Amino acid sequence: MSKRFNRPSRSTVIPLAAVSALVAGAALTGCGQQRDSSVYTVLNSSTDETYHRWDAQAMARCGKRLGVAVEQQSVPAAQVMTKALRMASSRSLPDIVQFDASEMPTFAEAGGLVDLRTLGLGTGDIPRGIVNFGSYKGTYYGAARSVNTLALFYNKDILDRAGLKVPATWAELRASAKKLTRGKRYGLALSAGGAEDGVFQFTPFMWSNGGDETRLDGPKVVQALDYWKSLLKDGSLSKSTVGWTQADVNDQFMAGNAAMMINGPWQVETLNTEKSLHWGIARIPVPKAGEKSVGPLGGAVLTVPNTGDEQRERTAGRIVACLSSEREQLTYALNSWMVPANEKAAAAWRRQVPELDALADQVAAARSRTARLGAGWTGVSLALQSAFQSALTGQSSQAALQRAQQRATSGNRGTRR
C-alpha cells in the first residue's frame, strides 16, 4: 500500500478569506472547550495501520519524557485542512497539526500558526532547503520529521538483459525507454494525471531544465513539457499516463508493464513484497551530463496552531521538538523509508540503508514547491494540471502553458514576492 500522506495530497482548494476568518476567530477567542491539561492532541493523516502504530509509539515515548499523554486523530490527507478549519470554527483546534507542506502556507498566511522558533525549536542541524520547506515568508512554522522526493526506479533484470546502463541524461532516458518498450511493456512510467501527483512529477523536469513556476510559459518549462511529449510520441509512455496517479505508476512497474518509473520512497515497502522484482534507484536524469538533478521536497510538517493558550502552545512545541528530534527522526525514517530531515540522522540513515543512497543525494538538492509562491502554489498547480491534460492529448506545449500562465497569474495576484 502506498503511503499517501508522504506524497502530494489531493488538496481541497479553500479561499484564503475563509481560512483567515476561521483561524483568526479561533486565535482571538482561545479554546472553546475545557481541556485536560495532561492530554495533548495531534491531528494527522496516519490512517494506514502501520503508520498509525508507528506514530502512536513515537507519541507515547515523547509523552512519557514530557509527562503528558499525546493522542492522535487521523483523517485522510486530503481532509486534514478541512478538518482543521472545522475545528477552528468550533474553537476546538488540536494542539498540533501535521499538514502536507504544500498546504501549510495557507494556514500560516491566515495567521493560524505559531512561529516554532518562539517555542524553542532550532534549525541548526537542518539543511536550508528543508528549513524553507517548513517556512512561510521566512518564519519557521513546520518541523519535518522526514522528507522525500522523487527518483528513477529501474528493473535491474530488464536493463541487464538489454545491455543498458542506468540513464543519467534526458537523451539517454529517451533512448533507453524507447529500446525497452516491447509488447505490453513500456520503457517508462510516470504520472501526468490531473492532480498534484502529476505536478509533483513534472517539477524535476522543469527545475532541472532551469524552468520557474513564476513563468509557466517560459522556454525552459515549454522544453520540459515537450520532452514529456517526445516520450509519449515514441510510444515509451502509455497514453494512460494522463490519468495515472503515482500509485498507478507503481502498480504498472510491479506488474512488469514498465521497465523504469519516476516515483518516491513511499513505494519501497510495497516493492519489497515482490521478491522476484530486483529494482534499483538513481537520480532523475538531467538535460545535460553534469547538471544538477533538482526534485521536489515532499512530506508533512508538524505545526502548532495559534489557539491563544500560550501555556499549551509551549508544551505542544516541546512535543514537536521531541517528535522531530534526531533519535525519533531516525526511527521514523527507517520504518517509513523516508529521509530524515536532521543532517546527523540522515547520515546515520545512509549507513543503514545504502540501497537508497541516491535518494538522499536527490533530497540534498531538492526544493520546496511553496518556497517562492507560498499559498499561491495551489493556483500554479491547478494551472499546470490543466496544461498537462491539454498538451499530452494534442495541444502544443507552448499554447497549453501560455493558458496555464494566464490562469495562474489571475489566481495569484498579490501572492508573488
Side-chain angles (χ1 to χ4, degrees):
M1 177 181 295
S2 64
K3 196 62 204 82
R4 294 187 181 273
F5 78 81
N6 281 306
R7 64 176 178 79
S9 61
R10 298 167 189 268
S11 307
T12 302
V13 180
I14 303 169
L16 181 59
V19 178
S20 299
L22 289 170
V23 300
L28 289 171
T29 56
C31 299
Q33 58 185 22
Q34 189 66 34
R35 301 191 186 192
D36 186 332
S37 61
S38 64
V39 179
Y40 286 75
T41 304
V42 180
L43 174 64
N44 64 20
S45 55
S46 299
T47 54
D48 179 86
E49 186 276 328
T50 53
Y51 280 75
H52 193 84
R53 172 166 38 86
W54 294 334
D55 276 338
Q57 292 168 349
M59 290 173 195
R61 288 191 295 268
C62 286
K64 185 176 181 180
R65 289 173 204 157
L66 299 173
V68 297
V70 185
E71 301 175 347
Q72 61 181 323
Q73 295 182 13
S74 301
V75 298
Q79 296 177 21
V80 171
M81 176 65 82
T82 52
K83 175 73 171 179
L85 289 176
R86 284 197 299 271
M87 296 176 82
S89 69
S90 62
R91 298 189 296 281
S92 60
L93 275 167
D95 299 288
I96 297 166
V97 178
Q98 178 181 275
F99 283 114
D100 182 277
S102 66
E103 291 184 324
M104 179 273 293
T106 300
F107 223 77
E109 173 77 9
L113 301 176
V114 178
D115 180 350
L116 294 182
R117 288 192 175 98
T118 68
L119 300 178
L121 278 80
T123 56
D125 292 326
I126 307 174
R128 178 164 295 278
I130 298 178
V131 174
N132 292 339
F133 181 67
S135 300
Y136 178 62
K137 292 186 177 180
T139 301
Y140 184 55
Y141 292 112
R145 288 186 290 172
S146 66
V147 292
N148 62 67
T149 190
L150 294 166
L152 178 72
F153 289 75
Y154 57 93
N155 186 307
K156 291 181 178 180
D157 295 335
I158 293 176
L159 264 67
D160 286 347
R161 286 196 296 268
L164 295 173
K165 64 178 183 178
V166 180
T169 66
W170 282 9
E172 291 174 358
L173 178 61
R174 184 177 180 183
S176 296
K178 190 172 183 178
K179 185 172 182 179
L180 293 170
T181 299
R182 293 287 184 274
K184 294 192 301 181
R185 187 186 71 208
Y186 292 93
L188 179 68
L190 56 81
S191 168
E196 185 71 12
D197 278 20
V199 180
F200 198 67
Q201 296 228 328
F202 183 65
T203 53
F205 296 89
M206 175 173 71
W207 288 339
S208 297
N209 197 43
D212 193 304
E213 58 268 35
T214 64
R215 189 185 170 196
L216 298 182
D217 56 351
K220 298 296 186 179
V221 185
V222 173
Q223 287 173 6
L225 189 49
D226 275 340
Y227 180 74
W228 270 16
K229 291 190 70 170
S230 72
L231 295 170
L232 194 63
K233 182 180 179 181
D234 289 346
S236 301
L237 290 179
S238 168
K239 292 181 179 179
S240 298
T241 294
V242 295
W244 280 348
T245 65
Q246 292 178 124
D248 296 329
V249 168
N250 192 60
D251 290 343
Q252 295 298 317
F253 182 73
M254 291 189 68
N257 296 330
M260 300 179 287
M261 70 170 176
I262 305 295
N263 227 314
W266 52 85
Q267 308 293 8
V268 170
E269 186 177 5
T270 305
L271 290 170
N272 285 342
T273 63
E274 184 56 67
K275 301 303 181 184
S276 64
L277 176 62
H278 304 127
W279 57 271
I281 189 172
R283 281 177 279 187
I284 295 176
V286 293
K288 295 180 181 178
E291 294 180 334
K292 184 179 291 186
S293 181
V294 184
L297 277 173
V301 291
L302 295 168
T303 69
V304 176
N306 179 11
T307 62
D309 188 332
E310 294 183 2
Q311 183 174 347
R312 287 191 73 92
E313 289 170 3
R314 283 194 295 272
T315 302
R318 294 171 64 203
I319 295 169
V320 170
C322 179
L323 291 172
S324 60
S325 65
E326 180 182 339
R327 178 168 60 177
E328 289 296 340
Q329 282 195 26
L330 181 58
T331 299
Y332 185 78
L334 290 172
N335 280 334
S336 64
W337 301 96
M338 303 299 162
V339 182
N342 178 286
E343 289 179 320
K344 294 178 181 178
W349 179 87
R350 279 179 184 258
R351 292 191 293 271
Q352 295 190 49
V353 283
E355 66 271 27
L356 296 183
D357 197 54
L359 185 72
D361 290 337
Q362 189 88 55
V363 161
R367 281 177 47 189
S368 164
R369 287 164 285 166
T370 58
R372 295 193 177 184
L373 296 180
W377 171 260
T378 300
V380 167
S381 176
L382 291 171
L384 279 173
Q385 292 167 31
S386 179
F388 299 157
Q389 300 297 299
S390 298
L392 297 178
T393 55
Q395 191 176 35
S396 74
S397 297
Q398 181 72 57
L401 288 168
Q402 283 177 342
R403 173 61 180 152
Q405 177 62 22
Q406 292 169 357
R407 181 177 180 181
T409 302
S410 63
N412 287 340
R413 284 178 183 144
T415 64
R416 295 174 189 264
R417 292 176 282 116

